[in-house]
Amino acid sequence: METAGLKIQRRPPVRKRSLSSGHELYTPVKKKPSGSEEMKTMSESNNMADCDKEADMIYSGQQDYGSDDDLFGEYDSFAEDSSFLAQVAYLEEQCKQEAANTLPVGSPNPERSHPFVAPVNPSKSTLLEEEPPNQLKPNPLFTGRPLDSKPQTEDLLDDVPCSQLSRYEDANQNPGTAIHTDGKPNTSSGGEVGGACSSTASRIHPKDGKRKSLRDSLKNTLVGNAKVQTPQISRTMQIKETIILEELDVAQKTVETSSEIDLGPFYGLPSKVADLIEQHRGIRKLYDWQHTCLTLESLRQRKNLIYSLPTSGGKTLVAEIVILQELLCRKKDALMILPFVAIVQEKVRGLSGFGVELEFLVEEYAGSKGRFPPIKRRKKNSLYIATIEKGHSLVNSLIETERIKDLGLVVVDELHMLSEGSRGAILEMTLAKILYTSDNTQIIGMSATLNNVGELQQFLKADYYTDTFRPVELKEYVKLRDSIYEVDNKAENSLTLSRVLNYKYSSNMLRLDPDHIIALVTEVIPNHSCLVFCPTKKNCENVAEMICKYLNKAYLSHRETDKKALIDDLKNTGSGTICSVLKRTVPFGIAYHHSGLTSDERKLVEQAYSSGVLCLLVCTSTLAAGVNLPARRVVLRAPYVAKDFLRRAQYKQMIGRAGRAGIDSAGESILIIQEKDKEMTRELVSQPPENCYSNIMYDRGKGLQSLLLSLIGLKIAKTAEEIYQFTHYTLFSVQQKHLSQEKSLWDITKESLDYLASKGLVCTKWCPESEQHLFEVSRLGQATYKGSIDLSYSNLLYSDLRKGLEGLVLQSHLHLLYLVTPYDLVTQCNPDWMIYFRQFNLLDPVDQKVAESVGLQESFLARKVSGQSLKKSADESVVNRLYLSFVLYALTKELDVWSVSTRFNMPRGSVQSLLSSSASFSSSVLHFCEELEEFWAYKALLLDVTKKLSYCVKSELIPLLEVAGVLEARARQLYNAGYTTLAHLANADPQIMVNNIDHLSKRQANQIVCSAKMLVKEKAEALQEEVEELLRLPTDLPALIMEAKMPNLNE
């Protein structure tokens, strides 16, 4: 094809050659262009405008070449190539001759702009558009911007070569200065006139006023560019970024071609991930089973997977690596479901550092935290870490907004929780919905105790991997009287005698410690750690005190300074008050751990135990399912949890804490039993774990009814047949034959639908097109499933809220607190009538009207206190609920947990549990009210109440408490040290924090800073998304719709 300009072919960018001295810089003859590459003479019919336009196009080369690129292809020198410059001179001479024939000499074109002021990249359509073959076409290397376009200074630095970057910066600093083609500044300030004449002036010689040749202009420009110093950019940073991008690209290709061998440096991830794991976890090398699991064909093909290993085997790390693959390589969101709020918060703290370094978001969904639906991110992916209940609500919101396919991975820790009552039912609902609505969402479940794996595989359509690996060998023992037997499954009775305890007991000591607990723990403490599991909370405290009573005084000197510091911290968390039991036991290095402690106390005790300040914890079974606190020896005080005999899964979880990787060569567990428990114990230690059964039919089918209600509300299924089809995706359908032999799955489904209709939660309407009855949720049903309200309480909640509107007392929060007090805690409440009566009389007269409005009279309390008979009894549930609301009312008045605990004679842990449950239920009631127009007044009110219950501290501490892992005591320390905002924490120096705040370790400081950075990024991303949404052109704009229709009308 003929072209009007010179066509030069580029070669791939290479480093400039260093030529030996004396080597000529002229272009070799063999490299001269020939054929179509030779200069073509322009048509004589072209006018001066065409010539000038062509010359401008030669000047204003638009393509962006970095400083390392060879702009002139294979030419070694451009300035010294006489043949090329001769052709350029010839071209200009032709233009001058044609100009003389068409326009008066020296008549400038005032509409033209300087070709070097603001070169811009052409649009894609401009580059791809083909011109008619007879039309002269500019050379692609020198194509300029349209003559009528205005300079785009915003893109200037992106479009110029690196060598010109500083020149443009200088020009921007001096607005009246324009860059001249010869490299000298043009300081004329002629406004529009000066700009209009710039193209002509650029080629006028400053001395004689003659027009400069195109050749001279090109030479001067290139020489000037060569003299400009290239801006200094960190080469190390460029190399690091390039390596990470290349590794991510390799990882993504590896994942996409899953059938090939993994080519990524760290299981398809950048090597930076391995560095972060070593930095944050101290892990340099994975176990063999972890490597095997991560390279399974199931994971490479993105199949669902269940894997099971003993406790402390490293299961969580495998899940985290797979999550990072999903976030970084596949660019999808991930959800991690954990059983308890404390574990969610710990995991958020642990992964925030990864999120900050690897550019993804970590979002907490626990308690009252979490947005529904979550913010849709366009630039970053999110890892949602949620409790079972919040995870279910999150999945519902993603299905409703048709974003469930953005969720690439769901990881479930403690998969055996499927068999745990109502929580197991909610987990089953969540997984069933994901299986039904999203084909590309991978599900991974892990557990230490699974038996009927085949049924779980069928439910999740998953592969299975298992191993018996433990980093530390576990030796199991059973103690009966003073004899200790080793568990040996090969033996006839599964037990073989190991040794007899040899510890001198006095008669008084033996009377208090008949189970020889003191002898068992003193064999390992204080140099090693020990856990003692007890059946009840009170038993924990008694055992801790009993051990301290008979310990040698030498134990007091072990890490004495650290233990004194711990006592000071415990006092600070209690506003100067410390538990009397802990005050006596901590100096010996012993503490108890159960739900009776506040969150701050539990955290301090756990940290002290992990660091070795405490050597012995006496705890309940909840610690086994919570944070990871390993020990050299684990002692089970009795084979019971409360009054129930231990289940195999519970037993395995407890003894799994024995043995600390990297510290102990072996771990020991000792189960203390009595003669009456011998046979049951033999089965406990030798039998496989219990089967995991569906609990979706708990409480007479309540779980299934809730599931069907949400199916209809989310429009997942509309007809009875579709609903029945969905039920085949549940674990219950897999196990239905032995869970419900009397009724078929269809009968159970029909009964559940009838129940929902009778409660007014769903209704049916006839559809003439399909000739079927379609199910729809009522307004009450919509509010119930949106708020995750228990079906047993939906009508009662609606009634209470409706009644509240008739005389809502807003002088204080008491009335609203009563409305958000959880119904399920009412049955556990046993009011102290004297305290109840006293607190009632301390209320303002207006607040006393709240009690009267809900049905409680002062005379009722007076008769209860005096022990008189009641002529008319009040509703017990109302009385108990109001008592609990009094407790919440005291907490919202900025009274600390200890003061309220003393005032109401309740354990401080129970007070804090009430507060946490109420905050969560308040959030649910808020969502319930948002779906019902008649409750519009509650929306703003409950938003404030939820926030108060979530933090329940002075307002200035609330921003600090938003950071994962920062509790009230730590927030107070941070605030007093000057860290008053989230931005202060996000930009803090961890070492300075450690120096300024008492008893704060470097690891804790790093976690706080990382969590704060993650939270700041999350908030900034949300605001940025909102801004972009506001500025985005609406797709349904009438003008756009009309433009789309116009081509069709023209056709």
Side-chain angles (χ1 to χ4, degrees), residues 329-357:
C329 302
R330 300 187 182 95
K331 301 296 182 184
K332 292 279 190 178
D333 297 331
L335 167 63
M336 191 174 197
I337 298 177
L338 302 170
F340 303 112
V341 174
I343 305 178
V344 169
Q345 293 172 342
E346 183 188 28
K347 190 58 64 179
V348 170
R349 291 196 302 271
L351 290 176
S352 291
F354 288 81
V356 170
E357 294 290 336

Side-chain angles (χ1 to χ4, degrees), residues 859-860 863 868-874:
S859 58
F860 171 83
R863 288 179 176 275
Q868 299 178 23
S869 60
L870 301 172
K871 296 180 180 178
K872 184 179 179 181
S873 62

Side-chain angles (χ1 to χ4, degrees), residues 72 117 206 244 458 538 553 574 744 746 783 800 933 1014 1040:
F72 304 108
V117 172
I244 291 174
Q458 188 178 344
K538 189 61 179 174
K553 300 301 180 183
S744 66
W746 170 252
D800 285 344
E933 293 180 4
M1014 178 57 61
L1040 294 178

